[in-house]
Amino acid sequence: APEGAARLTLSDYNQRRVDMRYAGGLGNGWFGGVSGFYRRDDGVRNPEFTANFGGTVRAHLGKNLEGGGEWSVNLKVVNDHNTFYLPIPVVGKEKPRSLPGIDANYGTMIGLDSGVQMVRTSLVPGSFSQLNDSRDGYHVKATAVGYSFEKPLSPEWKLSSKGRYTDADVTASLV
């Protein structure tokens, strides 16, 4: 029989995260499941905006074959944003410590003041420049589709085939 679970995580820095899964037998040799998470939080270094948000969904569906073996297909979709907090300035090579006004343990130089900047991306003055929005962080969008097939041919031999196609885009919008 299918089983599921759900978890809600709340914490300081305004974190809200939901994890869910549901999977098991579906009858007549079929099985399947779906799982994933979604989260939003301001980040441990409070950059003055929602630093991390997005999630992942996974699903699979398959069938047990007569005489042994199984086949299945699977899908994974990611749409997630993560903040990159570096650089964090410190002083003291031997014993690094915070600069006055910036806590090296919890501070960040990313914020609403510096969130959107025009950045020159070429050494030639006036040539290439782009608008960087650090409030978007690393944006990962990916879709992966796969399959698996296994069939015993004898006690010593098994036919097995697995494959996956992935389409991914990682956009770094960092200053």
Side-chain angles (χ1 to χ4, degrees):
E3 295 183 0
R7 177 176 58 196
L8 174 64
T9 305
L10 304 170
S11 73
D12 51 4
Y13 59 89
N14 208 20
Q15 181 190 42
R16 298 165 311 279
R17 178 176 168 139
V18 175
D19 290 83
M20 298 175 70
R21 69 171 176 79
Y22 185 79
L26 304 174
N28 294 328
W30 288 90
F31 58 90
V34 64
S35 65
F37 76 90
Y38 180 81
R39 59 115 173 86
R40 292 181 72 83
D41 68 68
D42 294 338
V44 295
R45 294 182 177 268
N46 191 12
E48 304 174 316
F49 53 85
T50 300
N52 304 306
F53 59 97
T56 299
V57 174
R58 293 176 179 219
H60 71 278
L61 178 67
K63 183 156 178 38
N64 293 313
L65 302 173
E66 288 184 30
E70 68 181 40
W71 67 265
S72 65
V73 292
N74 57 72
L75 171 71
K76 179 179 179 182
V77 177
V78 178
N79 190 347
D80 201 20
H81 297 256
N82 297 284
T83 298
F84 190 68
Y85 292 109
L86 297 177
I88 304 209
V90 294
V91 295
K93 181 178 178 181
E94 299 302 319
K95 187 177 178 186
R97 59 193 178 283
S98 300
L99 285 171
I102 298 178
D103 184 335
N105 292 318
Y106 300 101
T108 181
M109 294 183 62
I110 298 173
L112 294 178
D113 308 5
S114 62
V116 180
Q117 296 183 16
M118 186 64 74
V119 177
R120 191 171 75 192
T121 57
S122 171
L123 296 176
V124 180
S127 59
F128 302 100
S129 59
Q130 64 187 31
L131 187 65
N132 279 359
D133 187 348
S134 67
R135 294 170 299 181
D136 220 19
Y138 280 106
H139 185 190
V140 177
K141 293 189 292 186
T143 301
V145 179
Y147 76 92
S148 175
F149 174 82
E150 286 191 1
K151 178 75 175 164
L153 301 176
S154 73
E156 297 84 22
W157 291 90
K158 171 176 68 173
L159 177 62
S160 178
S161 177
K162 295 182 180 185
R164 173 168 291 174
Y165 171 79
T166 301
D167 181 19
D169 179 27
V170 179
T171 303
S173 298
L174 305 173
V175 293

